[in-house]
Amino acid sequence: MPAKKAQGYGCLGIALLWSYVVPVLLFFFSWTALRLVNVRPAWLTALLGIGIGWYVSWSTHLTEWVHDGATYVQLALCMGAFALAAWSTQSSRPLWPRAAVALVLLLLMPIGSFASTQAKQSRQSNELAAAHVPLLGPNVPTGYYLNGAGATGSSGGNDPTFFYRLTPDNLRRGANTMDELHQEIQVIVGPVQPGFTPPSHCAALTSSYPTPSPACSQVTPGVWRSANYQYVEYYTRVGDAVAVIQATTPPVNESVLRELATTMRVRTPSYFPTG
């Protein structure tokens, strides 16, 4: 029976077990190697070296910055971490240099977080700027936040599209169930296609043309609405681009959709947060 239970964990169980075993093996290997080269105290140096190496890699988001030659960078980082640990554990060293090094290490976390955020924002801004479609964005209503911004070609050709979501504040950890997904609002922006001739035809950002499409009603100049039971779409045309706002009502209040549709404007890439 125990063997059968252990088999039930599969690959996930092996991965979890390995994540606990590796640090222990690394400690004993480092401890043994340090004793062989007569580094004392070997156990404290090994423990501190592993800790410093992990902390520097985590706080600086090293895996996001290094792609080519990652193995050599990791090796250099480990060597530097153990050298710093050996230097720090020498009792003959004055206290203030060690305190200064500890302060520098502590500062790595906010500096690394800031640099990583700026890098992500820069990458997203470059991606959105290359979309070659106006970045239409609304005034974000109270109780919602904008996320998931990105750009890609349409499924039916080379027409670029720009997309994002508006999610309730209570789902900042992510939507996992269908009920939670229905609380999100999807927005897709793309060039106006020939099939989009409201109010008679409201096909927008379709994968093929011609496509049969229902009529839609005008809400305000440049804004139209169509509905299929609870599934509602608003269309906002700005110049040669159209934004399609999609949601399920309820749970989404239709007044929120109307506010989004009527406040669509061309925004800068920095208007759309990363993540």
Side-chain angles (χ1 to χ4, degrees):
M1 290 297 291
K4 292 182 179 179
K5 288 183 179 179
Q7 292 175 358
Y9 288 100
C11 294
L12 178 61
I14 295 174
L16 289 173
L17 179 62
W18 189 246
S19 66
Y20 287 104
V21 170
V22 167
V24 176
L25 292 177
L26 183 59
F27 169 76
F28 280 108
F29 175 79
S30 303
W31 176 47
T32 303
L34 290 169
R35 285 185 63 86
L36 290 176
V37 296
N38 202 32
V39 174
R40 298 292 187 273
W43 69 271
L44 183 58
T45 303
L47 191 63
L48 191 60
I50 294 171
I52 291 174
W54 173 85
Y55 172 78
V56 171
S57 178
W58 170 75
S59 62
T60 58
H61 304 270
L62 187 65
T63 55
E64 296 180 11
W65 301 96
V66 179
H67 300 286
D68 298 331
T71 302
Y72 298 104
V73 173
Q74 290 283 2
L75 180 61
L77 174 63
C78 289
M79 294 176 62
F82 279 100
L84 181 60
W87 176 82
S88 301
T89 54
Q90 298 303 309
S91 58
S92 59
R93 300 286 182 186
L95 180 60
W96 70 265
R98 288 183 283 183
V101 170
L103 179 61
V104 171
L105 290 175
L106 287 176
L107 290 176
L108 286 179
M109 183 159 41
I111 293 174
S113 179
F114 175 77
S116 178
T117 300
Q118 293 300 309
K120 288 180 180 178
Q121 185 70 57
S122 178
R123 286 194 296 267
Q124 178 174 284
S125 295
N126 293 336
E127 177 187 353
L128 299 186
H132 303 299
V133 64
L135 305 179
L136 301 184
N139 296 339
V140 180
T142 303
Y144 284 83
Y145 70 99
L146 196 153
N147 68 104
T152 185
S154 68
S155 58
N158 297 321
D159 291 335
T161 56
F162 166 55
F163 55 86
Y164 52 90
R165 302 188 305 274
L166 287 115
T167 306
D169 287 336
N170 64 306
L171 295 181
R172 283 193 175 270
R173 293 187 177 181
N176 298 313
T177 66
M178 287 303 298
D179 289 339
E180 291 175 339
L181 288 171
H182 286 163
Q183 297 179 45
E184 292 189 313
I185 302 168
Q186 308 289 334
V187 181
I188 307 174
V189 181
V192 175
Q193 296 180 335
F196 183 64
T197 56
S200 58
H201 297 282
C202 294
L205 310 182
T206 57
S207 59
S208 61
Y209 176 78
T211 300
S213 59
C216 54
S217 57
Q218 188 169 33
V219 180
T220 62
V223 177
W224 300 268
R225 175 191 181 276
S226 68
N228 183 9
Y229 297 100
Q230 291 178 285
Y231 188 71
V232 178
E233 289 185 322
Y234 275 78
Y235 310 89
T236 301
R237 178 169 181 169
V238 179
D240 294 329
V242 59
V244 183
I245 305 164
Q246 306 168 333
T248 303
T249 59
V252 179
N253 193 315
E254 191 149 346
S255 63
V256 173
L257 301 180
R258 192 176 297 109
E259 179 183 352
L260 296 175
T262 55
T263 60
M264 280 289 173
R265 301 290 184 274
V266 178
R267 312 288 183 174
T268 61
S270 60
Y271 181 82
F272 303 93
T274 57

